[in-house]
Amino acid sequence: MEGMWYYTAVFFAAVFTNNILLANYLGMCSFLSVAKELKASVGLGIAVTFVMASTTVLNWMVYNFLLEPFGLEYLRFIVFIIVIAAFVQLVEMIIERVSESLYAALGIFLPLITVNCAILGVSLFMVIRDYDLVTSFFFGLGSGLGWFLAIMAMAGILQKLKKARIPKGLEGAGITLIITGIMALAFMGFAGMLMLG
Amino acid sequence: MIEALLISVLIVTSVAVFLALLMVIADATIANYGDVNINVNDGSKDLTVKGGQPLLKALNSEGIFIPSACGGRGSCGLCKVQVVKGGGQLLPTELPWLSEEERKDNVRLSCQFKVKEDIEIKIPEELFLVKEFKTRVAAIRDLTYDIKEVTLELIDPPEINAAAGQFIQFQVPEYELTDEEVYRAYSMSSAPSDNKHVELEIRLVPNGICTTYVHKFLKEGDLVTINGPYGDFYLRDTQREIIFVAGGSGMAPIKAILLDMEEKKISRKIRYFFGARSTRDLFLVDEMKRLENALPDFTFIPALSAPEEGEAWNGETGLITEVMDRMLEHVEETEAYLCGSPGMIDACIKVLEDKGVPEERIFYDKFA
């Protein structure tokens, strides 16, 4: 598979069949805490998509131009993490400075994302699957959108559940995890479509 | 081998240094808002602070303490401040804590709102006097089976300047029931003239974080941090007749006001209705007797709502509202001061209003 079709395939696989949240169960903590609020979920979803797409590209460059030439692949965990942290911090500062409304909508979620394991996960998958720069970008973008899709679906379901009578012991994270599991099963229905490595 | 090691150290260090430099530069340029001006209460104070920090922290660094229970994490919703000019739009982290009306008045959560430009704010005048005090527990005594009187001796600063009826916030350290410091508000029951001590009356609430701490763990000699004073529950300077109403530890601020009146030789007519279930819930009766003699026209009216069988009691019986309803006549010109549980206060306000006491002369301190 080459060219545009390949990118499209990677992109859609990242959204549906290999959804970072539902297939790999990464990025759960902010998912669990924010999905209660539909509006906040939108903000966090957009922020995650943006950060994932950009840090995957950044980390690809760091990995291929800096780590690999010196044979330092094993340092990727620590290097990726500092790149992500610095990038997120920088973006937060810039947003806060230039646009107040953007900061109110997205900026406050950025610190949450620094420690979101899905972001690091996507960068690591990119290495394992040996993607090139453009593919990495589409993979990052697709994973971000996939996470966005998952949190939106969960926020929608939780809105409906507000009026439902949930057994006391399952309130909060309990019921959210069960629903996430059911959603993951549903997403497995896409599995025949495409599959990533 | 050594070469590889050196290279890896070098690479990681240079990546880290590069990013750190980038952050330092960004901090000094992008995130540098310079000095900004905070105009407090129409110019009564003019503060110059470093821009970009939360308002709560900026005010704190200038010695103005806004009540806050969570330490600036946006999870208690107490540190509200009205921003009159400047400040921009509300953040999503503030929204859950603000009512429609507060949003209209541009009230902000000062721990979330960052000062990035010159602003004008309004805060209650008495907050200027609020300080943090290091204290030592000088005495603890039982007033009833579930109310303790705690006397704190101020260490640093050594004196507090408060009005009778005001309250302080008591800092509870981490212990069994809480994994973070929390603050709870208690009225001072000591006379303001004794400005070296703060006396509190604390009733045990089952599973209450602070009350359990005070009743089960606090010992004489322990160090306690408090801040204050807060509140507008103090005696208004008029010549009107006074009605006090309290239940349980609602005694505290009223006792402080009475002691203050005794010292200042204020000779207004006073009636004090105190509600309790049975005699074992009554306390400081001797002190009230003494004040009845010391003050020119003071009557203490304790009322028992559920006296126990065979109890020797020749005072009033019934709910405090029933007793007030029975005893108050022609009270349109009085002032009323109420302190106790929200349920009790709401019921008493209704009785007083029915008797013709206007709303603006009914002052209360609800224990939430």
Side-chain angles (χ1 to χ4, degrees):
Chain A
M1 285 196 284
E2 280 303 315
M4 218 46 224
W5 278 114
Y6 180 55
Y7 302 142
T8 322
V10 168
F11 176 76
F12 278 102
V15 178
F16 296 108
T17 59
N18 287 59
N19 188 295
I20 192 84
L21 192 124
L22 296 170
N24 296 306
Y25 257 58
L26 289 177
M28 284 305 284
C29 38
S30 38
F31 174 79
L32 288 179
S33 58
V34 175
K36 284 181 288 251
E37 298 262 344
L38 195 62
K39 229 178 130 188
S41 299
V42 179
L44 187 61
I46 297 173
V48 165
T49 309
F50 170 72
V51 172
M52 250 184 211
S54 353
T55 55
T56 316
V57 171
L58 271 178
N59 280 336
W60 188 92
M61 294 189 202
V62 170
Y63 185 79
N64 285 280
F65 297 142
L66 200 66
L67 298 184
E68 219 175 28
F70 291 99
L72 298 171
E73 290 88 346
Y74 63 92
L75 283 175
R76 62 181 182 268
F77 294 88
I78 190 161
V79 172
F80 284 178
I81 272 289
I82 37 183
V83 169
I84 293 169
F87 177 76
V88 170
Q89 193 75 40
L90 209 61
V91 170
E92 192 197 357
M93 281 184 191
I94 294 170
I95 290 183
E96 193 173 0
R97 186 81 193 198
V98 294
S99 166
E100 203 185 335
S101 51
L102 196 61
Y103 180 70
L106 294 185
I108 54 148
F109 298 116
L110 287 172
L112 267 181
I113 297 175
T114 318
V115 289
N116 189 327
C117 46
I119 311 274
L120 178 65
V122 167
S123 286
L124 293 174
F125 281 135
M126 159 199 89
V127 172
I128 296 169
R129 293 171 189 166
D130 213 6
Y131 288 146
D132 63 22
L133 180 61
V134 183
T135 316
S136 296
F137 170 72
F138 280 104
F139 177 58
L141 187 69
S143 296
L145 286 173
W147 198 91
F148 191 6
L149 181 72
I151 195 170
M152 286 306 296
M154 178 57 74
I157 293 169
L158 288 181
Q159 296 289 316
K160 293 266 176 201
L161 274 188
K162 266 185 188 157
K163 292 194 191 77
R165 282 169 52 202
I166 299 164
K168 193 111 197 102
L170 286 180
E171 275 172 15
I175 194 76
T176 314
L177 281 170
I178 291 174
I179 296 169
T180 313
I182 298 171
M183 264 165 50
L185 286 176
F187 267 65
M188 282 173 82
F190 291 117
M193 193 164 80
L194 298 151
M195 209 62 196
L196 294 179
Chain B
M1 183 62 208
I2 291 187
E3 199 183 331
L5 200 68
L6 283 178
I7 289 178
S8 63
V9 169
L10 193 74
I11 296 280
V12 175
T13 315
S14 50
V15 169
V17 166
F18 172 73
L19 291 174
L21 267 178
L22 203 65
M23 299 315 294
V24 170
I25 295 169
D27 219 25
T29 53
I30 305 171
N32 183 0
Y33 296 88
D35 283 345
V36 292
N37 236 332
I38 305 179
N39 179 328
V40 188
N41 294 0
D42 296 325
S44 79
K45 256 191 190 183
D46 210 16
L47 314 170
T48 306
V49 300
K50 203 169 157 290
Q53 54 179 339
L55 180 61
L56 180 70
K57 216 174 132 201
L59 290 175
N60 237 324
S61 65
E62 295 293 319
I64 298 175
F65 293 93
I66 308 289
S68 152
C70 69
R73 290 182 295 120
S75 63
C76 74
L78 284 178
C79 60
K80 291 173 186 169
V81 168
Q82 190 187 3
V83 178
V84 189
K85 205 176 136 199
Q89 71 186 83
L90 281 170
L91 298 173
T93 39
E94 298 174 76
L95 291 175
W97 309 105
L98 302 172
S99 67
E100 272 309 308
E101 208 166 307
E102 286 170 328
R103 289 178 204 187
K104 222 178 287 161
D105 290 342
N106 204 19
V107 171
R108 307 288 302 260
L109 220 53
S110 63
C111 68
Q112 297 298 308
F113 161 57
K114 287 186 184 164
V115 197
K116 290 181 230 162
E117 52 185 354
D118 292 354
I119 58 165
E120 285 176 26
I121 62 170
K122 272 210 163 69
I123 57 175
E125 285 289 334
E126 73 255 18
L127 285 183
F128 290 140
L129 297 174
V130 171
K131 290 191 189 103
E132 186 172 88
F133 297 87
K134 302 268 171 255
T135 72
R136 183 182 297 117
V137 179
I140 301 179
R141 72 169 171 141
D142 288 321
L143 293 177
T144 71
Y145 63 97
D146 69 346
I147 300 178
K148 279 189 194 295
E149 181 186 82
V150 178
T151 309
L152 303 173
E153 181 192 356
L154 303 186
I155 303 171
D156 179 37
E159 285 177 9
I160 185 166
N161 188 4
Q166 285 194 298
F167 67 90
I168 54 95
Q169 292 197 108
F170 186 107
Q171 188 193 79
V172 186
E174 277 177 41
Y175 81 108
E176 272 169 39
L177 290 187
T178 173
D179 48 17
E180 59 187 18
E181 286 173 0
V182 296
Y183 292 86
R184 291 291 183 267
Y186 293 99
S187 296
M188 290 177 273
S189 56
S190 40
S193 59
D194 179 12
N195 58 11
K196 293 183 176 52
H197 294 92
V198 165
E199 185 187 278
L200 310 169
E201 289 169 3
I202 299 178
R203 178 188 206 145
L204 180 64
V205 178
N207 287 320
I209 289 178
C210 188
T211 64
T212 308
Y213 177 74
V214 168
H215 276 253
K216 303 267 151 69
F217 294 92
L218 198 67
K219 298 182 305 294
E220 283 176 19
D222 283 357
L223 296 179
V224 172
T225 303
I226 62 170
N227 59 55
Y230 302 100
D232 51 12
F233 187 73
Y234 47 80
L235 192 68
R236 300 307 190 268
D237 187 15
T238 66
Q239 286 308 312
R240 292 179 191 278
E241 188 188 325
I242 300 166
I243 299 171
F244 288 131
V245 186
S249 52
M251 166 72 88
I254 309 237
K255 182 191 152 206
I257 294 174
L258 286 167
L259 291 174
D260 194 42
M261 291 175 82
E262 179 195 8
E263 280 166 13
K264 293 183 175 151
K265 302 201 188 323
I266 296 172
S267 55
R268 293 161 67 175
K269 179 175 176 177
I270 310 163
R271 274 177 288 179
Y272 179 7
F273 293 89
F274 183 78
R277 286 177 58 80
S278 62
T279 44
R280 69 187 199 122
D281 294 298
L282 283 178
F283 58 97
L284 294 179
V285 177
D286 293 341
E287 176 71 0
M288 291 301 130
K289 287 259 159 58
R290 186 188 69 74
L291 283 165
E292 278 185 331
N293 292 324
L295 286 159
D297 193 355
F298 169 47
T299 325
F300 179 57
I301 308 162
L304 299 187
S305 62
E308 276 157 38
E309 297 259 338
E311 207 168 30
W313 178 249
N314 50 17
E316 298 293 327
T317 51
L319 287 172
I320 193 77
T321 44
E322 295 163 5
V323 177
M324 285 163 67
D325 192 43
R326 227 169 25 232
M327 297 185 66
L328 293 176
E329 294 290 338
H330 311 295
V331 288
E332 295 84 357
E333 291 305 311
T334 56
E335 263 171 28
Y337 297 84
L338 288 58
C339 190
S341 67
M344 185 208 98
I345 288 186
D346 291 339
C348 292
I349 290 177
K350 198 170 168 303
V351 174
L352 289 166
E353 285 185 344
D354 288 348
K355 295 270 177 190
V357 183
E359 195 191 332
E360 66 269 18
R361 269 192 261 121
I362 303 177
F363 308 98
Y364 55 84
D365 195 351
K366 275 187 197 177
F367 294 170

